[in-house]
Amino acid sequence: MATSTASARPQWRSPTAAKPFYDRDPYRRQPWHPTFAYQFDEHGSLDRRVAIRLERLGRMRDCARIAGAPWTATTGFHPADDHPPRRIDRWYATHHAPDAAVRSLTVVDQGTVGYCTAHAHAPVVLELDHTAIAR
């Protein structure tokens, strides 16, 4: 990833293309907290190795981007979470899956489900058109 001369933070570029990542940098402009340390690689950049392996090498595609879903945090809103709101829960489609098969992707609001999951992750619901897969 390229870094800016004005900042040690990475420029958030997609690992699969020249377009920006769907996810913004959640730690940008955040005051440092020691629990953030494991989110960064050995060079001080946000660790995107898993996304790069899935999206570039594995040719997986983020269903939120395919569905045109608005960016919505899936965690980071629980009072005990020191991290900023961020989207770490996601669905991926293989490169063989047609875009038409992904009908919608919705993050269920905490007001609806409360803090029902470990570490207060919001459920992510993916609606598929099974007939599009069968074509």
Side-chain angles (χ1 to χ4, degrees):
M1 281 186 262
T3 57
S4 168
T5 56
S7 168
R9 300 259 186 221
Q11 297 297 312
W12 282 73
R13 307 300 295 173
S14 169
T16 57
K19 58 188 171 183
F21 270 120
Y22 180 80
D23 297 291
R24 61 176 166 49
D25 177 350
Y27 296 94
R28 190 170 185 202
R29 297 188 184 109
Q30 291 291 320
W32 176 253
H33 191 281
T35 60
F36 295 177
Y38 70 90
Q39 300 294 327
F40 295 90
D41 65 17
E42 64 275 12
H43 305 290
S45 296
L46 285 170
D47 190 348
R48 298 282 304 165
R49 287 177 288 198
V50 172
I52 289 169
R53 283 189 177 152
L54 288 171
E55 296 175 18
R56 184 187 300 160
L57 304 175
R59 299 186 337 187
M60 302 296 282
R61 299 176 306 131
D62 187 336
C63 289
R65 183 170 253 169
I66 294 170
W71 187 91
T72 307
T74 62
T75 192
F77 30 74
H78 190 278
D81 190 347
D82 295 320
H83 296 268
R86 60 213 181 278
R87 186 183 76 108
I88 61 175
D89 305 286
R90 51 188 80 172
W91 283 96
Y92 279 105
T94 68
H95 64 281
H96 297 293
D99 287 357
V102 179
R103 282 190 159 168
S104 67
L105 184 136
T106 307
V107 177
V108 182
D109 184 83
Q110 287 297 306
T112 302
V113 296
Y115 298 118
C116 66
T117 61
H119 306 289
H121 289 247
V124 180
V125 178
L126 177 65
E127 182 183 1
L128 297 174
D129 178 353
H130 297 282
T131 62
I133 295 171
R135 290 182 201 154

